[in-house]
Amino acid sequence: MRGPQRSPAARWSALVVALCVAIGAGCSGGDGDGGDGPELGELAERGRELTRSEGCTACHTPDGRDSVGPSWQGLYGSEVRLEDGSVVTADEEYLERSIREPGAQVREGFRPIMPERRLDDDDLEAIVAYLREL
């Protein structure tokens, strides 16, 4: 018996996540950050753990190396050029939107392949706190 049919977008998202996990595991030992990293506040540490458990570190790194997705190091507060040529500041609003609606503001030089995440507000706040501290 076959399970429920998924939309092409849902199948594509699942494939991208699987690919990112495979790439991350093969290139960086599985967690994508190459070690424990900097000392973080409690909320940011929770954000770091969430990025690992949600699979984010398979495509993003916290150490300045671009991967399938852009690195997070130094991202918070920086100016980001988008694929449409506009420039935005990577503030809390930009980061939250990029996580919740990854196709809304795609960074120049990267493909819009990040799957949408259904995170509650507390988890999103923790992840943004982590990115802010990098």
Side-chain angles (χ1 to χ4, degrees):
M1 178 174 185
R2 293 179 54 166
Q5 293 293 315
R6 292 192 285 178
S7 71
R11 288 193 307 269
W12 176 248
S13 291
L15 177 63
V16 168
V17 169
L19 178 61
C20 288
V21 169
I23 290 170
C27 297
S28 62
D31 69 1
D33 71 4
D36 290 332
E39 185 75 26
L40 301 171
E42 187 176 328
L43 184 61
E45 181 59 43
R46 188 166 148 264
R48 175 173 27 203
E49 291 305 316
L50 282 165
T51 64
R52 290 175 178 167
S53 67
E54 289 291 321
C56 308
T57 56
C59 297
H60 298 276
T61 70
D63 64 6
R65 293 176 298 121
D66 285 336
S67 182
V68 174
S71 176
W72 295 323
Q73 184 179 48
L75 174 61
Y76 188 84
S78 70
E79 291 195 344
V80 174
R81 182 170 299 279
L82 303 177
E83 68 179 355
D84 68 2
S86 65
V87 176
V88 298
T89 299
D91 57 11
E92 289 185 20
E93 181 180 338
Y94 168 79
L95 294 173
E96 288 174 3
R97 184 170 188 205
S98 293
I99 294 167
R100 287 196 195 266
E101 303 172 57
Q105 294 179 297
V106 178
R107 190 162 171 181
E108 184 178 77
F110 294 91
R111 296 186 57 222
I113 60 172
M114 183 172 150
E116 289 186 23
R117 294 280 192 247
R118 299 207 189 281
L119 300 168
D120 65 33
D121 291 342
D122 291 339
D123 289 349
L124 187 60
E125 178 184 14
I127 290 172
V128 170
Y130 172 52
L131 300 180
R132 187 175 45 240
E133 289 195 28
L134 291 175

